[in-house]
């Protein structure tokens, strides 16, 4: 099954993507994670995207689309995949339509105040990509793989607001795009991760 997770920054796409991936045995493809790896490894792509990401701006469509095109050619996506953070613009959604058939698009709908609170207390594992929150997890190491947790560089108050504005202006139209394609399902992302997952699971079982 080919799935897209849509939602504002902090809506829980990473957390829910990890849960779907584990239970359905299909990989999550997070464009944000791919960019962060490139920044860490100081690749040519990493150098191009670092400033944009730290400013809360989007990476140009052509760069993201060609990256996704390559990734969706890999063998591990043959039985399905979960896209987290892509598409973020209508141009990306249109390009994706030419590359792959999408089965379901799940919008995780969350109030701004909640996303902001979650992002400002978010810690991530740079190795296995697990996501934690200091309000519910106080350790500094990843429970799953033991790596030291980090705070993402763009998880600060100023950038969060910018990322949310970018989401409203550029990604909201993507929701309409998939509604018109009859692929959109909505879940209430203000609830706990497990409750959100059980709603997503019901949709995926339909
Ligand atoms: P995320 O990890 O999904 O929150 O993405 C972090 C940052 O990576 C975003 O704020 C953008 O700068 C960049 N990014 C990730 N995915 C995309 C995309 N599909 N299009 C453009 N920029 C992206």
């Amino acid at each position: 099954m080919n799935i897209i997770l849509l939602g504002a920054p902090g809506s829980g796409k990473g957390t829910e993507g990890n849960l779907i991936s584990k239970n359905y045995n299909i990989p999550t493809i997070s464009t944000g994670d791919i960019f962060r790896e490139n920044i860490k490894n100081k690749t040519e792509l990493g150098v191009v995207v670092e400033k944009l990401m730290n400013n809360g701006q989007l990476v140009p469509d052509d760069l993201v689309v060609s990256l996704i095109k390559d990734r969706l050619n890999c063998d591990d996506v043959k039985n399905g995949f979960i896209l987290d953070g892509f598409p973020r613009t209508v141009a990306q959604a249109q390009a994706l339509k030419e590359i792959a058939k999408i089965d379901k698009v799940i919008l995780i709908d969350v109030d701004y105040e909640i996303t902001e609170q979650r992002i400002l207390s978010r810690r991530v594992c740079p190795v296995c990509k697990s996501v934690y929150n200091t309000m519910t997890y106080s350790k500094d190491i990843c429970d799953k793989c033991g790596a030291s947790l980090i705070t993402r560089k763009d998880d600060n108050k100023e950038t969060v607001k910018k990322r949310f504005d970018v989401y409203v202006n550029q990604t909201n139209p993507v929701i309409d795009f998939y509604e018109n394609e009859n692929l959109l399902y909505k879940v209430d992302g203000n609830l706990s991760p497990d409750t959100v997952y059980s709603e997503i699971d019901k949709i995926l079982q339909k």
Side-chain angles (χ1 to χ4, degrees), residues 77-92:
V77 305
K78 294 283 178 272
N79 292 325
F81 56 80
I82 305 147
L83 290 175
D84 160 6
F86 180 93
R88 263 179 156 94
T89 65
V90 170
Q92 292 178 15

Side-chain angles (χ1 to χ4, degrees), residues 15 52 71 77 98 103 106 114-115 121 129 135-136 140 148 151 154 159-160 180 189 197-198 202 205-206:
T15 302
L52 292 168
R71 184 64 187 87
V77 305
E98 307 299 317
D103 298 301
I106 297 172
I114 294 199
T115 65
S121 53
K129 316 298 177 203
M135 291 186 286
T136 51
D140 290 329
S148 295
T151 298
D154 56 349
T159 313
V160 168
N180 289 332
Y197 180 72
S198 71
K202 275 185 216 155
Q205 298 286 340
K206 270 185 205 165

Side-chain angles (χ1 to χ4, degrees), residues 53-71:
M53 278 181 77
N54 289 344
N55 273 330
Q57 293 166 283
L58 291 187
V59 171
D61 287 335
D62 53 344
L63 267 182
V64 197
V65 168
S66 93
L67 187 140
I68 283 290
K69 211 172 187 171
D70 287 348
R71 184 64 187 87

Side-chain angles (χ1 to χ4, degrees), residues 96-154:
L96 178 63
K97 202 174 168 184
E98 307 299 317
I99 304 170
K101 184 186 168 298
I102 298 302
D103 298 301
K104 282 178 182 159
V105 177
I106 297 172
L107 169 65
I108 309 179
D109 201 25
V110 187
D111 300 336
Y112 175 67
E113 291 70 26
I114 294 199
T115 65
E116 186 189 43
Q117 200 182 52
R118 281 186 191 165
I119 287 179
L120 297 180
S121 53
R122 175 160 70 182
R123 299 287 178 277
V124 293
C125 174
V127 178
C128 73
K129 316 298 177 203
S130 295
V131 186
Y132 297 91
N133 189 298
T134 53
M135 291 186 286
T136 51
Y137 186 83
S138 57
K139 290 192 244 169
D140 290 329
I141 55 163
C142 176
D143 221 12
K144 302 201 175 73
C145 75
S148 295
L149 300 181
I150 57 162
T151 298
R152 277 172 47 172
K153 243 186 167 169
D154 56 349

